[in-house]
Each structure stands twice: as structure tokens, then as C-alpha cells.
Amino acid sequence: MHAQIVLFDGFDPLDVVAPFEVLAAGGSASGGAVTVELVSAEGPREVVSGTGGLALRATAALAPDQPGLVLVPGASGPIGDPADIPGHDAGAPGPSGREESVPVLLGRTLGTALPALLKEAMDRPEVVVAGVCGGSLVLAMAGLLEGRRATTHHMGLDMLDATGVHAVRARVVDDGDLVTGAGVTSGLDLGLYLLEREVGPRIAHAVEELFAHERRGTVWRAEGPEPAPF
């Protein structure tokens, strides 16, 4: 499985680094069955996160026709108001270098080539698309998740629901070719679950043991009887 983790201006570093390390370790444990790289919609470049000016380098352009996994992180910055999203110029920091809010940073992705690339990836049956934290909102705001089951950070669940997504309060939600994780540290759990699902539980367990991290919660899937209300 080849994993492409998307960088965009203002991304949250932990949303990227946690699944990157998990998947890379899975590659080592599986003898190279998993490969991972950092990509951007624009191609190779330095991409500045929303946390303290930390930058990571995208080594390639997002290739939506590449079989495997495309993972979209969320953004990092002040929480802000979802009403802030429309009508902002491109670029990570705001005027005078001030830090922009998470909704603004997520909304700025809509003015890039990223939504079209993500749509192409989602249209391909050989590609699994994943989102960590606000990454689900990037997909939803681009109109790509209507009618799907997904999760995001608990503070964004209402916004996710407002876009026509069936928001699920779970740490990881598996909706087939769409797998999403909730709050920031869920990137670890999402990465481990993807290893289990795509490569096997023994590889996932080995990485879990290496990282001294046990996954939390039940992965939600549309299986089994519908629970009665409590």
C-alpha cells in the first residue's frame, strides 16, 4: 500500500506526523508492503504548518490515480468561528503575519487545486481516502462527503453534519473507501487501524507494541444490528 499524506498551508503537524510514523513503521515491519510520502496539490515545496512556523517538505505532487491511500490532515491555529471560512485570500498566515483560525485555514484549501484532486482520488475504487481531525471537514466542504459516515474533532461535528455528512461520535469511522479519525491524537489510532485493515493485525500489533500505544475505542462500521436508543 502506498500512502500519500497531503500537506497544505496551515496543516496540523501531529495530524501528519502521527500517521506518517505509524505507516512508515508498518512498512518496516512488513518488509516494504507499506510506503509513505508527503505530497501537496502544488508539487514539491516547503509547506508551513499552523503551529509555530514549523514546516515540512512535500516531496511530490498528489497523484490521485496512484492506488493506495490518500490521507488529509486538519489545520492548526486558534479555533475561531466556522462563519469565518468564506472570502479570505490565499496564504497561510494572515495580515501582518497573525495566526489564522482553523476554519479559515481549512476554508483556504477550497481555493486551491486540492478539492479537484481529492475528488478524482475518491472516484477511483483502488484508492482509500482518509481524514484526520479537520481533514474530514476539508473533504466535506469540498462537497465530497454528502451522505457518507465520518467523524472529526468533537468541536467540528456539528459543522460536519451541516454539510450533509452523517457525523459519528467515534474515534475512528470506517465507511469503506473512506476512513476518518476524530481529535488530533486519533491519527495514531487511524494509522494503526489502516495497517490492520490493509496489511494485517500482526503488523498493526507489532507497531502498536513498538510505539507503546494502545488504540482506544471501537472502530465504527456500518455492520451489525441498529442499536436501540438508551
Side-chain angles (χ1 to χ4, degrees):
M1 175 180 71
H2 183 65
Q4 301 180 81
I5 300 182
V6 178
L7 301 180
F8 57 83
D9 295 319
F11 70 89
D12 186 295
L14 191 55
D15 288 358
V16 171
V17 174
F20 185 100
E21 283 209 55
V22 168
L23 294 170
S28 297
S30 62
V34 180
T35 55
V36 57
E37 67 178 334
L38 301 179
V39 301
S40 80
E42 299 79 18
R45 68 181 182 100
E46 295 289 323
V47 187
V48 179
S49 77
T51 302
L54 175 68
L56 294 176
R57 180 164 180 78
T59 57
L62 171 60
D65 58 345
Q66 169 77 51
L69 173 71
V70 173
L71 188 147
V72 185
S76 176
I79 299 303
D81 187 330
D84 293 340
I85 287 176
H88 289 266
D89 296 330
S96 303
R98 70 179 177 83
E99 194 176 13
E100 292 286 21
S101 70
V102 166
V104 169
L105 293 168
L106 296 175
R108 280 204 176 112
T109 64
L110 302 181
T112 72
L114 185 57
L117 292 169
L118 293 174
K119 181 181 186 308
E120 186 177 346
M122 294 194 73
D123 286 343
R124 293 182 176 272
E126 67 273 22
V127 178
V128 173
V129 174
V132 181
C133 199
S136 304
L137 292 171
V138 170
L139 293 160
M141 290 187 298
L144 302 177
L145 299 190
E146 187 171 356
R148 302 296 300 266
R149 302 282 182 176
T151 191
T152 189
H153 190 283
H154 64 89
M155 297 184 74
L157 285 168
D158 288 344
M159 184 178 171
L160 189 64
D161 194 66
T163 65
V165 180
H166 299 293
V168 180
R169 287 186 176 272
R171 192 160 172 84
V172 176
V173 172
D174 182 341
D175 197 39
D177 60 356
L178 172 70
V179 185
T180 52
V184 183
T185 59
S186 69
L188 289 166
D189 294 27
L190 178 70
L192 288 165
Y193 175 67
L194 288 167
L195 283 180
E196 178 186 1
R197 195 182 94 155
E198 302 296 327
V199 187
R202 294 176 68 181
I203 298 298
H205 180 267
V207 175
E208 187 176 72
E209 189 174 35
L210 175 68
F211 282 22
H213 172 80
E214 295 184 1
R215 279 166 39 195
R216 289 164 41 199
T218 301
V219 174
W220 187 95
R221 296 187 295 271
E223 298 174 6
E226 185 78 20
F230 292 106

